[in-house]
Amino acid sequence: MGTSLGYVTERFVIFLATVVISVTAVFFVPHFLPGNPLGAINVKLSRVGGGGNNQLILEAYRHRFGLDRSLGAQYVSYLRQLAHGDLGYSISSFPTRVSTKIWSALPWTLGLVGVTTVISWLLGSLLGAVVGWSGGRSRLLQGLVPVSLLLYTTPYFILAIVLSYLFAFRWPVFPLAGAYSVGRTPEYSLDFAWDVIKHGTLPALSIILVSLGWWFLSMRSLIIAEKGQDYILWAESKGLQRGKIFWGYALRNALLPQATGLALSLGSIVSGALITEVIYGYPGLGFLVYTSITSVDYPVIQGAVLLIILSVALANFAIDMLYPFIDPRIRAGGGGN
């Protein structure tokens, strides 16, 4: 069974519409932010003592970034740049390209959120499946349910603040901020890798614990639903061992929607835990967006946010294309027997 042309066309149109709307929103929304990029540049010039040349420099910036043109003309120019794969230059860090700033921040976000997403999914899914299958047989396992509910309902940035206070301030076990020690230069060595791990532990924990709560509760509900299915009752009536039924039947079927959730989460890795990165001063994409907003750097805001939106849209489109092959119970056209 494959995907029909109509199904593919419908999903592609949705994806294309998402991209078009996103590109337009990403351009216009930053322009409604309070302040303007030239104000931030003027502050920098005043600090270094630009004197009477400040106004000339500001006018050069205004012309270079098209800020002296209408918003519509800027939008057309923006679309032309995107069509050529050009995200432009950073205003606050000129002549650094936007792509350079994004690619320098992206690996940190991918490393942090990618690892934490996989770890939380594995632990949460396994624990949730075991607890859901055991029913009320173990009070210890059932005690994980309220704990997971508490973690799931706790905003990850609140947990990040609590962890920072406890393990970086109260008991300074881990560094408070940054991705590696001040003054160090990134290098391929075990010593530097250990330094990165120490700095990334608290941000990772804040993401893992909250995400683990969701995966646990989700998998537990799926396993409980599977326990009532006819094929499970039939397998039990045939005398199959509960362990074999759990691993060979219930868990395999419950993993399908859970795996779909993981795929969507992986597609959202680029967005990262934005506030967590800001709290810990972690130099990922979230921290880049934050610093760009504070300096009203339109091109960097547009480039970073557009990358985040496109990654999520592509993940959804990929899942739409793969799901009919993964689940034989679903027909590509959405109906029919």
Side-chain angles (χ1 to χ4, degrees), residues 206-244:
S206 67
I207 300 172
I208 287 175
L209 291 176
V210 173
S211 302
L212 187 146
W214 160 249
W215 294 123
F216 174 92
L217 296 171
S218 174
M219 189 53 140
R220 175 177 171 270
S221 299
L222 290 169
I223 286 291
I224 290 175
E226 290 296 327
K227 286 173 64 177
Q229 296 296 322
D230 291 339
Y231 75 93
I232 295 291
L233 300 176
W234 179 84
E236 290 176 341
S237 68
K238 299 292 286 186
L240 291 179
Q241 296 180 351
R242 284 184 57 82
K244 185 175 182 180

PDB file of all heavy atoms in Angstrom, residues 206-244:
ATOM      1  N   SER A 206      17.213  19.751  33.162  1.00  0.00           N
ATOM      2  CA  SER A 206      15.955  20.506  33.176  1.00  0.00           C
ATOM      3  C   SER A 206      15.049  20.100  32.019  1.00  0.00           C
ATOM      4  O   SER A 206      13.822  20.094  32.146  1.00  0.00           O
ATOM      5  CB  SER A 206      16.236  22.008  33.127  1.00  0.00           C
ATOM      6  OG  SER A 206      16.809  22.384  31.892  1.00  0.00           O
ATOM      7  N   ILE A 207      15.651  19.740  30.887  1.00  0.00           N
ATOM      8  CA  ILE A 207      14.866  19.316  29.723  1.00  0.00           C
ATOM      9  C   ILE A 207      14.440  17.861  29.869  1.00  0.00           C
ATOM     10  O   ILE A 207      13.275  17.502  29.608  1.00  0.00           O
ATOM     11  CB  ILE A 207      15.675  19.496  28.427  1.00  0.00           C
ATOM     12  CG1 ILE A 207      16.056  20.965  28.232  1.00  0.00           C
ATOM     13  CG2 ILE A 207      14.884  19.004  27.219  1.00  0.00           C
ATOM     14  CD1 ILE A 207      17.020  21.207  27.075  1.00  0.00           C
ATOM     15  N   ILE A 208      15.366  16.993  30.318  1.00  0.00           N
ATOM     16  CA  ILE A 208      15.074  15.566  30.423  1.00  0.00           C
ATOM     17  C   ILE A 208      13.946  15.303  31.413  1.00  0.00           C
ATOM     18  O   ILE A 208      13.006  14.543  31.128  1.00  0.00           O
ATOM     19  CB  ILE A 208      16.338  14.790  30.847  1.00  0.00           C
ATOM     20  CG1 ILE A 208      17.330  14.718  29.690  1.00  0.00           C
ATOM     21  CG2 ILE A 208      15.984  13.376  31.292  1.00  0.00           C
ATOM     22  CD1 ILE A 208      18.663  14.085  30.052  1.00  0.00           C
ATOM     23  N   LEU A 209      14.006  15.912  32.584  1.00  0.00           N
ATOM     24  CA  LEU A 209      13.032  15.611  33.631  1.00  0.00           C
ATOM     25  C   LEU A 209      11.615  15.994  33.209  1.00  0.00           C
ATOM     26  O   LEU A 209      10.664  15.230  33.421  1.00  0.00           O
ATOM     27  CB  LEU A 209      13.420  16.332  34.923  1.00  0.00           C
ATOM     28  CG  LEU A 209      14.682  15.799  35.610  1.00  0.00           C
ATOM     29  CD1 LEU A 209      15.027  16.652  36.827  1.00  0.00           C
ATOM     30  CD2 LEU A 209      14.499  14.345  36.012  1.00  0.00           C
ATOM     31  N   VAL A 210      11.466  17.173  32.612  1.00  0.00           N
ATOM     32  CA  VAL A 210      10.133  17.606  32.173  1.00  0.00           C
ATOM     33  C   VAL A 210       9.627  16.739  31.018  1.00  0.00           C
ATOM     34  O   VAL A 210       8.482  16.294  31.013  1.00  0.00           O
ATOM     35  CB  VAL A 210      10.161  19.089  31.766  1.00  0.00           C
ATOM     36  CG1 VAL A 210       8.820  19.493  31.148  1.00  0.00           C
ATOM     37  CG2 VAL A 210      10.457  19.968  32.972  1.00  0.00           C
ATOM     38  N   SER A 211      10.496  16.483  30.032  1.00  0.00           N
ATOM     39  CA  SER A 211      10.095  15.665  28.888  1.00  0.00           C
ATOM     40  C   SER A 211       9.795  14.233  29.300  1.00  0.00           C
ATOM     41  O   SER A 211       8.875  13.606  28.785  1.00  0.00           O
ATOM     42  CB  SER A 211      11.206  15.673  27.821  1.00  0.00           C
ATOM     43  OG  SER A 211      11.486  16.978  27.395  1.00  0.00           O
ATOM     44  N   LEU A 212      10.583  13.712  30.241  1.00  0.00           N
ATOM     45  CA  LEU A 212      10.385  12.346  30.708  1.00  0.00           C
ATOM     46  C   LEU A 212       8.988  12.178  31.292  1.00  0.00           C
ATOM     47  O   LEU A 212       8.342  11.142  31.108  1.00  0.00           O
ATOM     48  CB  LEU A 212      11.443  11.995  31.753  1.00  0.00           C
ATOM     49  CG  LEU A 212      11.515  10.545  32.245  1.00  0.00           C
ATOM     50  CD1 LEU A 212      12.960  10.172  32.541  1.00  0.00           C
ATOM     51  CD2 LEU A 212      10.676  10.327  33.494  1.00  0.00           C
ATOM     52  N   GLY A 213       8.502  13.187  32.009  1.00  0.00           N
ATOM     53  CA  GLY A 213       7.157  13.119  32.574  1.00  0.00           C
ATOM     54  C   GLY A 213       6.091  12.918  31.506  1.00  0.00           C
ATOM     55  O   GLY A 213       5.172  12.106  31.663  1.00  0.00           O
ATOM     56  N   TRP A 214       6.222  13.644  30.386  1.00  0.00           N
ATOM     57  CA  TRP A 214       5.250  13.511  29.301  1.00  0.00           C
ATOM     58  C   TRP A 214       5.323  12.141  28.644  1.00  0.00           C
ATOM     59  O   TRP A 214       4.298  11.486  28.428  1.00  0.00           O
ATOM     60  CB  TRP A 214       5.459  14.600  28.261  1.00  0.00           C
ATOM     61  CG  TRP A 214       4.843  14.257  26.935  1.00  0.00           C
ATOM     62  CD1 TRP A 214       5.487  13.962  25.783  1.00  0.00           C
ATOM     63  CD2 TRP A 214       3.441  14.144  26.643  1.00  0.00           C
ATOM     64  NE1 TRP A 214       4.602  13.674  24.787  1.00  0.00           N
ATOM     65  CE2 TRP A 214       3.332  13.777  25.279  1.00  0.00           C
ATOM     66  CE3 TRP A 214       2.282  14.317  27.388  1.00  0.00           C
ATOM     67  CZ2 TRP A 214       2.103  13.585  24.663  1.00  0.00           C
ATOM     68  CZ3 TRP A 214       1.047  14.126  26.770  1.00  0.00           C
ATOM     69  CH2 TRP A 214       0.977  13.770  25.423  1.00  0.00           C
ATOM     70  N   TRP A 215       6.539  11.686  28.301  1.00  0.00           N
ATOM     71  CA  TRP A 215       6.684  10.388  27.645  1.00  0.00           C
ATOM     72  C   TRP A 215       6.195   9.258  28.556  1.00  0.00           C
ATOM     73  O   TRP A 215       5.596   8.286  28.076  1.00  0.00           O
ATOM     74  CB  TRP A 215       8.150  10.147  27.259  1.00  0.00           C
ATOM     75  CG  TRP A 215       8.683  11.068  26.209  1.00  0.00           C
ATOM     76  CD1 TRP A 215       9.758  11.890  26.301  1.00  0.00           C
ATOM     77  CD2 TRP A 215       8.157  11.267  24.886  1.00  0.00           C
ATOM     78  NE1 TRP A 215       9.946  12.593  25.145  1.00  0.00           N
ATOM     79  CE2 TRP A 215       8.978  12.228  24.246  1.00  0.00           C
ATOM     80  CE3 TRP A 215       7.069  10.733  24.188  1.00  0.00           C
ATOM     81  CZ2 TRP A 215       8.757  12.660  22.951  1.00  0.00           C
ATOM     82  CZ3 TRP A 215       6.847  11.168  22.884  1.00  0.00           C
ATOM     83  CH2 TRP A 215       7.680  12.114  22.288  1.00  0.00           C
ATOM     84  N   PHE A 216       6.445   9.369  29.847  1.00  0.00           N
ATOM     85  CA  PHE A 216       5.991   8.363  30.800  1.00  0.00           C
ATOM     86  C   PHE A 216       4.471   8.272  30.806  1.00  0.00           C
ATOM     87  O   PHE A 216       3.893   7.179  30.675  1.00  0.00           O
ATOM     88  CB  PHE A 216       6.509   8.716  32.206  1.00  0.00           C
ATOM     89  CG  PHE A 216       5.989   7.813  33.300  1.00  0.00           C
ATOM     90  CD1 PHE A 216       6.709   6.691  33.680  1.00  0.00           C
ATOM     91  CD2 PHE A 216       4.797   8.090  33.948  1.00  0.00           C
ATOM     92  CE1 PHE A 216       6.232   5.853  34.685  1.00  0.00           C
ATOM     93  CE2 PHE A 216       4.307   7.265  34.945  1.00  0.00           C
ATOM     94  CZ  PHE A 216       5.029   6.147  35.319  1.00  0.00           C
ATOM     95  N   LEU A 217       3.797   9.397  30.984  1.00  0.00           N
ATOM     96  CA  LEU A 217       2.334   9.403  31.053  1.00  0.00           C
ATOM     97  C   LEU A 217       1.707   8.957  29.737  1.00  0.00           C
ATOM     98  O   LEU A 217       0.703   8.232  29.722  1.00  0.00           O
ATOM     99  CB  LEU A 217       1.842  10.805  31.427  1.00  0.00           C
ATOM    100  CG  LEU A 217       2.248  11.306  32.818  1.00  0.00           C
ATOM    101  CD1 LEU A 217       1.886  12.778  32.976  1.00  0.00           C
ATOM    102  CD2 LEU A 217       1.588  10.470  33.901  1.00  0.00           C
ATOM    103  N   SER A 218       2.309   9.374  28.628  1.00  0.00           N
ATOM    104  CA  SER A 218       1.784   8.999  27.320  1.00  0.00           C
ATOM    105  C   SER A 218       1.877   7.492  27.100  1.00  0.00           C
ATOM    106  O   SER A 218       0.900   6.845  26.699  1.00  0.00           O
ATOM    107  CB  SER A 218       2.559   9.741  26.227  1.00  0.00           C
ATOM    108  OG  SER A 218       2.179   9.310  24.947  1.00  0.00           O
ATOM    109  N   MET A 219       3.046   6.905  27.376  1.00  0.00           N
ATOM    110  CA  MET A 219       3.239   5.476  27.159  1.00  0.00           C
ATOM    111  C   MET A 219       2.393   4.657  28.121  1.00  0.00           C
ATOM    112  O   MET A 219       1.858   3.608  27.741  1.00  0.00           O
ATOM    113  CB  MET A 219       4.711   5.126  27.319  1.00  0.00           C
ATOM    114  CG  MET A 219       5.033   3.700  26.908  1.00  0.00           C
ATOM    115  SD  MET A 219       4.436   3.315  25.241  1.00  0.00           S
ATOM    116  CE  MET A 219       5.762   2.368  24.596  1.00  0.00           C
ATOM    117  N   ARG A 220       2.266   5.104  29.330  1.00  0.00           N
ATOM    118  CA  ARG A 220       1.425   4.392  30.303  1.00  0.00           C
ATOM    119  C   ARG A 220      -0.021   4.313  29.810  1.00  0.00           C
ATOM    120  O   ARG A 220      -0.663   3.256  29.880  1.00  0.00           O
ATOM    121  CB  ARG A 220       1.489   5.107  31.655  1.00  0.00           C
ATOM    122  CG  ARG A 220       0.551   4.518  32.718  1.00  0.00           C
ATOM    123  CD  ARG A 220       0.741   5.242  34.050  1.00  0.00           C
ATOM    124  NE  ARG A 220      -0.277   4.842  34.997  1.00  0.00           N
ATOM    125  CZ  ARG A 220      -1.454   5.435  35.146  1.00  0.00           C
ATOM    126  NH1 ARG A 220      -1.759   6.494  34.384  1.00  0.00           N
ATOM    127  NH2 ARG A 220      -2.329   5.003  36.037  1.00  0.00           N
ATOM    128  N   SER A 221      -0.541   5.421  29.296  1.00  0.00           N
ATOM    129  CA  SER A 221      -1.918   5.431  28.779  1.00  0.00           C
ATOM    130  C   SER A 221      -2.058   4.507  27.573  1.00  0.00           C
ATOM    131  O   SER A 221      -3.062   3.796  27.441  1.00  0.00           O
ATOM    132  CB  SER A 221      -2.319   6.853  28.393  1.00  0.00           C
ATOM    133  OG  SER A 221      -2.274   7.716  29.515  1.00  0.00           O
ATOM    134  N   LEU A 222      -1.050   4.504  26.694  1.00  0.00           N
ATOM    135  CA  LEU A 222      -1.107   3.649  25.507  1.00  0.00           C
ATOM    136  C   LEU A 222      -1.093   2.168  25.879  1.00  0.00           C
ATOM    137  O   LEU A 222      -1.834   1.361  25.304  1.00  0.00           O
ATOM    138  CB  LEU A 222       0.074   3.968  24.586  1.00  0.00           C
ATOM    139  CG  LEU A 222       0.041   5.323  23.875  1.00  0.00           C
ATOM    140  CD1 LEU A 222       1.378   5.624  23.226  1.00  0.00           C
ATOM    141  CD2 LEU A 222      -1.075   5.348  22.838  1.00  0.00           C
ATOM    142  N   ILE A 223      -0.259   1.788  26.842  1.00  0.00           N
ATOM    143  CA  ILE A 223      -0.186   0.387  27.264  1.00  0.00           C
ATOM    144  C   ILE A 223      -1.481  -0.046  27.936  1.00  0.00           C
ATOM    145  O   ILE A 223      -1.984  -1.160  27.708  1.00  0.00           O
ATOM    146  CB  ILE A 223       1.007   0.180  28.223  1.00  0.00           C
ATOM    147  CG1 ILE A 223       2.314   0.205  27.442  1.00  0.00           C
ATOM    148  CG2 ILE A 223       0.885  -1.138  28.980  1.00  0.00           C
ATOM    149  CD1 ILE A 223       2.518  -0.983  26.525  1.00  0.00           C
ATOM    150  N   ILE A 224      -2.046   0.824  28.761  1.00  0.00           N
ATOM    151  CA  ILE A 224      -3.326   0.499  29.416  1.00  0.00           C
ATOM    152  C   ILE A 224      -4.410   0.279  28.369  1.00  0.00           C
ATOM    153  O   ILE A 224      -5.240  -0.633  28.486  1.00  0.00           O
ATOM    154  CB  ILE A 224      -3.720   1.619  30.397  1.00  0.00           C
ATOM    155  CG1 ILE A 224      -2.766   1.618  31.599  1.00  0.00           C
ATOM    156  CG2 ILE A 224      -5.155   1.449  30.865  1.00  0.00           C
ATOM    157  CD1 ILE A 224      -2.993   2.761  32.566  1.00  0.00           C
ATOM    158  N   ALA A 225      -4.406   1.100  27.319  1.00  0.00           N
ATOM    159  CA  ALA A 225      -5.392   0.933  26.242  1.00  0.00           C
ATOM    160  C   ALA A 225      -5.169  -0.381  25.495  1.00  0.00           C
ATOM    161  O   ALA A 225      -6.135  -1.069  25.127  1.00  0.00           O
ATOM    162  CB  ALA A 225      -5.310   2.113  25.272  1.00  0.00           C
ATOM    163  N   GLU A 226      -3.896  -0.737  25.278  1.00  0.00           N
ATOM    164  CA  GLU A 226      -3.595  -1.989  24.570  1.00  0.00           C
ATOM    165  C   GLU A 226      -4.008  -3.216  25.379  1.00  0.00           C
ATOM    166  O   GLU A 226      -4.384  -4.244  24.812  1.00  0.00           O
ATOM    167  CB  GLU A 226      -2.090  -2.066  24.253  1.00  0.00           C
ATOM    168  CG  GLU A 226      -1.608  -1.088  23.198  1.00  0.00           C
ATOM    169  CD  GLU A 226      -2.216  -1.348  21.833  1.00  0.00           C
ATOM    170  OE1 GLU A 226      -2.477  -2.514  21.506  1.00  0.00           O
ATOM    171  OE2 GLU A 226      -2.427  -0.362  21.100  1.00  0.00           O
ATOM    172  N   LYS A 227      -3.931  -3.118  26.701  1.00  0.00           N
ATOM    173  CA  LYS A 227      -4.276  -4.262  27.557  1.00  0.00           C
ATOM    174  C   LYS A 227      -5.717  -4.721  27.369  1.00  0.00           C
ATOM    175  O   LYS A 227      -6.033  -5.888  27.582  1.00  0.00           O
ATOM    176  CB  LYS A 227      -4.044  -3.911  29.027  1.00  0.00           C
ATOM    177  CG  LYS A 227      -2.583  -3.864  29.432  1.00  0.00           C
ATOM    178  CD  LYS A 227      -2.411  -3.337  30.841  1.00  0.00           C
ATOM    179  CE  LYS A 227      -3.044  -4.258  31.875  1.00  0.00           C
ATOM    180  NZ  LYS A 227      -2.795  -3.769  33.255  1.00  0.00           N
ATOM    181  N   GLY A 228      -6.578  -3.826  26.958  1.00  0.00           N
ATOM    182  CA  GLY A 228      -7.984  -4.183  26.763  1.00  0.00           C
ATOM    183  C   GLY A 228      -8.315  -4.641  25.359  1.00  0.00           C
ATOM    184  O   GLY A 228      -9.478  -4.956  25.066  1.00  0.00           O
ATOM    185  N   GLN A 229      -7.318  -4.693  24.469  1.00  0.00           N
ATOM    186  CA  GLN A 229      -7.572  -5.106  23.092  1.00  0.00           C
ATOM    187  C   GLN A 229      -7.817  -6.613  23.011  1.00  0.00           C
ATOM    188  O   GLN A 229      -7.309  -7.396  23.815  1.00  0.00           O
ATOM    189  CB  GLN A 229      -6.379  -4.727  22.207  1.00  0.00           C
ATOM    190  CG  GLN A 229      -6.125  -3.234  22.094  1.00  0.00           C
ATOM    191  CD  GLN A 229      -7.267  -2.503  21.409  1.00  0.00           C
ATOM    192  OE1 GLN A 229      -7.865  -3.005  20.450  1.00  0.00           O
ATOM    193  NE2 GLN A 229      -7.595  -1.319  21.911  1.00  0.00           N
ATOM    194  N   ASP A 230      -8.595  -7.019  22.000  1.00  0.00           N
ATOM    195  CA  ASP A 230      -8.968  -8.426  21.848  1.00  0.00           C
ATOM    196  C   ASP A 230      -7.755  -9.328  21.650  1.00  0.00           C
ATOM    197  O   ASP A 230      -7.714 -10.451  22.165  1.00  0.00           O
ATOM    198  CB  ASP A 230      -9.929  -8.586  20.660  1.00  0.00           C
ATOM    199  CG  ASP A 230     -11.290  -7.966  20.941  1.00  0.00           C
ATOM    200  OD1 ASP A 230     -11.619  -7.786  22.129  1.00  0.00           O
ATOM    201  OD2 ASP A 230     -12.017  -7.667  19.977  1.00  0.00           O
ATOM    202  N   TYR A 231      -6.745  -8.847  20.896  1.00  0.00           N
ATOM    203  CA  TYR A 231      -5.605  -9.704  20.621  1.00  0.00           C
ATOM    204  C   TYR A 231      -4.793  -9.995  21.885  1.00  0.00           C
ATOM    205  O   TYR A 231      -4.180 -11.059  22.017  1.00  0.00           O
ATOM    206  CB  TYR A 231      -4.716  -9.097  19.533  1.00  0.00           C
ATOM    207  CG  TYR A 231      -3.868  -7.932  19.976  1.00  0.00           C
ATOM    208  CD1 TYR A 231      -2.568  -8.138  20.426  1.00  0.00           C
ATOM    209  CD2 TYR A 231      -4.350  -6.629  19.936  1.00  0.00           C
ATOM    210  CE1 TYR A 231      -1.773  -7.086  20.825  1.00  0.00           C
ATOM    211  CE2 TYR A 231      -3.565  -5.574  20.333  1.00  0.00           C
ATOM    212  CZ  TYR A 231      -2.284  -5.790  20.776  1.00  0.00           C
ATOM    213  OH  TYR A 231      -1.512  -4.737  21.168  1.00  0.00           O
ATOM    214  N   ILE A 232      -4.799  -9.062  22.839  1.00  0.00           N
ATOM    215  CA  ILE A 232      -4.116  -9.290  24.113  1.00  0.00           C
ATOM    216  C   ILE A 232      -4.885 -10.330  24.933  1.00  0.00           C
ATOM    217  O   ILE A 232      -4.291 -11.260  25.504  1.00  0.00           O
ATOM    218  CB  ILE A 232      -3.974  -7.981  24.907  1.00  0.00           C
ATOM    219  CG1 ILE A 232      -3.058  -7.003  24.159  1.00  0.00           C
ATOM    220  CG2 ILE A 232      -3.435  -8.252  26.307  1.00  0.00           C
ATOM    221  CD1 ILE A 232      -1.611  -7.420  24.108  1.00  0.00           C
ATOM    222  N   LEU A 233      -6.212 -10.171  24.986  1.00  0.00           N
ATOM    223  CA  LEU A 233      -7.038 -11.124  25.731  1.00  0.00           C
ATOM    224  C   LEU A 233      -6.936 -12.512  25.113  1.00  0.00           C
ATOM    225  O   LEU A 233      -6.891 -13.530  25.828  1.00  0.00           O
ATOM    226  CB  LEU A 233      -8.501 -10.649  25.745  1.00  0.00           C
ATOM    227  CG  LEU A 233      -8.746  -9.273  26.389  1.00  0.00           C
ATOM    228  CD1 LEU A 233     -10.216  -8.881  26.255  1.00  0.00           C
ATOM    229  CD2 LEU A 233      -8.318  -9.290  27.853  1.00  0.00           C
ATOM    230  N   TRP A 234      -6.856 -12.567  23.790  1.00  0.00           N
ATOM    231  CA  TRP A 234      -6.726 -13.865  23.106  1.00  0.00           C
ATOM    232  C   TRP A 234      -5.394 -14.504  23.443  1.00  0.00           C
ATOM    233  O   TRP A 234      -5.309 -15.713  23.701  1.00  0.00           O
ATOM    234  CB  TRP A 234      -6.857 -13.651  21.600  1.00  0.00           C
ATOM    235  CG  TRP A 234      -6.716 -14.920  20.802  1.00  0.00           C
ATOM    236  CD1 TRP A 234      -7.700 -15.833  20.530  1.00  0.00           C
ATOM    237  CD2 TRP A 234      -5.531 -15.415  20.191  1.00  0.00           C
ATOM    238  NE1 TRP A 234      -7.208 -16.868  19.782  1.00  0.00           N
ATOM    239  CE2 TRP A 234      -5.857 -16.640  19.554  1.00  0.00           C
ATOM    240  CE3 TRP A 234      -4.221 -14.958  20.103  1.00  0.00           C
ATOM    241  CZ2 TRP A 234      -4.937 -17.398  18.855  1.00  0.00           C
ATOM    242  CZ3 TRP A 234      -3.298 -15.715  19.410  1.00  0.00           C
ATOM    243  CH2 TRP A 234      -3.653 -16.928  18.796  1.00  0.00           C
ATOM    244  N   ALA A 235      -4.317 -13.693  23.436  1.00  0.00           N
ATOM    245  CA  ALA A 235      -2.992 -14.217  23.760  1.00  0.00           C
ATOM    246  C   ALA A 235      -2.937 -14.732  25.188  1.00  0.00           C
ATOM    247  O   ALA A 235      -2.321 -15.780  25.475  1.00  0.00           O
ATOM    248  CB  ALA A 235      -1.941 -13.130  23.548  1.00  0.00           C
ATOM    249  N   GLU A 236      -3.588 -14.029  26.102  1.00  0.00           N
ATOM    250  CA  GLU A 236      -3.621 -14.485  27.495  1.00  0.00           C
ATOM    251  C   GLU A 236      -4.397 -15.781  27.630  1.00  0.00           C
ATOM    252  O   GLU A 236      -4.018 -16.684  28.396  1.00  0.00           O
ATOM    253  CB  GLU A 236      -4.227 -13.396  28.385  1.00  0.00           C
ATOM    254  CG  GLU A 236      -3.342 -12.167  28.549  1.00  0.00           C
ATOM    255  CD  GLU A 236      -4.009 -11.072  29.355  1.00  0.00           C
ATOM    256  OE1 GLU A 236      -5.263 -11.099  29.476  1.00  0.00           O
ATOM    257  OE2 GLU A 236      -3.303 -10.185  29.852  1.00  0.00           O
ATOM    258  N   SER A 237      -5.499 -15.885  26.884  1.00  0.00           N
ATOM    259  CA  SER A 237      -6.303 -17.114  26.954  1.00  0.00           C
ATOM    260  C   SER A 237      -5.562 -18.314  26.370  1.00  0.00           C
ATOM    261  O   SER A 237      -5.847 -19.454  26.736  1.00  0.00           O
ATOM    262  CB  SER A 237      -7.628 -16.903  26.200  1.00  0.00           C
ATOM    263  OG  SER A 237      -7.401 -16.781  24.802  1.00  0.00           O
ATOM    264  N   LYS A 238      -4.606 -18.070  25.485  1.00  0.00           N
ATOM    265  CA  LYS A 238      -3.814 -19.153  24.899  1.00  0.00           C
ATOM    266  C   LYS A 238      -2.686 -19.593  25.821  1.00  0.00           C
ATOM    267  O   LYS A 238      -1.947 -20.534  25.518  1.00  0.00           O
ATOM    268  CB  LYS A 238      -3.221 -18.721  23.556  1.00  0.00           C
ATOM    269  CG  LYS A 238      -4.260 -18.345  22.503  1.00  0.00           C
ATOM    270  CD  LYS A 238      -5.059 -19.545  22.050  1.00  0.00           C
ATOM    271  CE  LYS A 238      -4.261 -20.460  21.155  1.00  0.00           C
ATOM    272  NZ  LYS A 238      -5.073 -21.558  20.598  1.00  0.00           N
ATOM    273  N   GLY A 239      -2.523 -18.870  26.939  1.00  0.00           N
ATOM    274  CA  GLY A 239      -1.515 -19.255  27.914  1.00  0.00           C
ATOM    275  C   GLY A 239      -0.132 -18.697  27.666  1.00  0.00           C
ATOM    276  O   GLY A 239       0.838 -19.175  28.263  1.00  0.00           O
ATOM    277  N   LEU A 240      -0.011 -17.698  26.814  1.00  0.00           N
ATOM    278  CA  LEU A 240       1.301 -17.096  26.583  1.00  0.00           C
ATOM    279  C   LEU A 240       1.785 -16.367  27.836  1.00  0.00           C
ATOM    280  O   LEU A 240       0.992 -15.812  28.599  1.00  0.00           O
ATOM    281  CB  LEU A 240       1.240 -16.102  25.414  1.00  0.00           C
ATOM    282  CG  LEU A 240       1.014 -16.688  24.017  1.00  0.00           C
ATOM    283  CD1 LEU A 240       0.949 -15.570  22.988  1.00  0.00           C
ATOM    284  CD2 LEU A 240       2.120 -17.662  23.657  1.00  0.00           C
ATOM    285  N   GLN A 241       3.085 -16.377  28.056  1.00  0.00           N
ATOM    286  CA  GLN A 241       3.656 -15.705  29.209  1.00  0.00           C
ATOM    287  C   GLN A 241       3.429 -14.196  29.117  1.00  0.00           C
ATOM    288  O   GLN A 241       3.492 -13.605  28.038  1.00  0.00           O
ATOM    289  CB  GLN A 241       5.154 -15.995  29.300  1.00  0.00           C
ATOM    290  CG  GLN A 241       5.485 -17.460  29.548  1.00  0.00           C
ATOM    291  CD  GLN A 241       6.991 -17.685  29.620  1.00  0.00           C
ATOM    292  OE1 GLN A 241       7.795 -16.795  29.333  1.00  0.00           O
ATOM    293  NE2 GLN A 241       7.375 -18.899  30.004  1.00  0.00           N
ATOM    294  N   ARG A 242       3.176 -13.580  30.280  1.00  0.00           N
ATOM    295  CA  ARG A 242       2.899 -12.141  30.289  1.00  0.00           C
ATOM    296  C   ARG A 242       4.070 -11.343  29.744  1.00  0.00           C
ATOM    297  O   ARG A 242       3.878 -10.340  29.068  1.00  0.00           O
ATOM    298  CB  ARG A 242       2.574 -11.687  31.720  1.00  0.00           C
ATOM    299  CG  ARG A 242       1.180 -12.082  32.185  1.00  0.00           C
ATOM    300  CD  ARG A 242       0.897 -11.508  33.564  1.00  0.00           C
ATOM    301  NE  ARG A 242       1.041 -10.074  33.609  1.00  0.00           N
ATOM    302  CZ  ARG A 242       0.106  -9.203  33.226  1.00  0.00           C
ATOM    303  NH1 ARG A 242      -1.049  -9.642  32.757  1.00  0.00           N
ATOM    304  NH2 ARG A 242       0.314  -7.894  33.313  1.00  0.00           N
ATOM    305  N   GLY A 243       5.281 -11.793  30.028  1.00  0.00           N
ATOM    306  CA  GLY A 243       6.445 -11.080  29.511  1.00  0.00           C
ATOM    307  C   GLY A 243       6.492 -11.098  28.005  1.00  0.00           C
ATOM    308  O   GLY A 243       6.810 -10.089  27.363  1.00  0.00           O
ATOM    309  N   LYS A 244       6.165 -12.238  27.405  1.00  0.00           N
ATOM    310  CA  LYS A 244       6.175 -12.345  25.947  1.00  0.00           C
ATOM    311  C   LYS A 244       5.065 -11.504  25.330  1.00  0.00           C
ATOM    312  O   LYS A 244       5.262 -10.866  24.281  1.00  0.00           O
ATOM    313  CB  LYS A 244       6.010 -13.807  25.537  1.00  0.00           C
ATOM    314  CG  LYS A 244       6.131 -14.032  24.046  1.00  0.00           C
ATOM    315  CD  LYS A 244       6.088 -15.507  23.694  1.00  0.00           C
ATOM    316  CE  LYS A 244       6.270 -15.709  22.180  1.00  0.00           C
ATOM    317  NZ  LYS A 244       6.243 -17.141  21.807  1.00  0.00           N
TER     318      LYS A 244
END
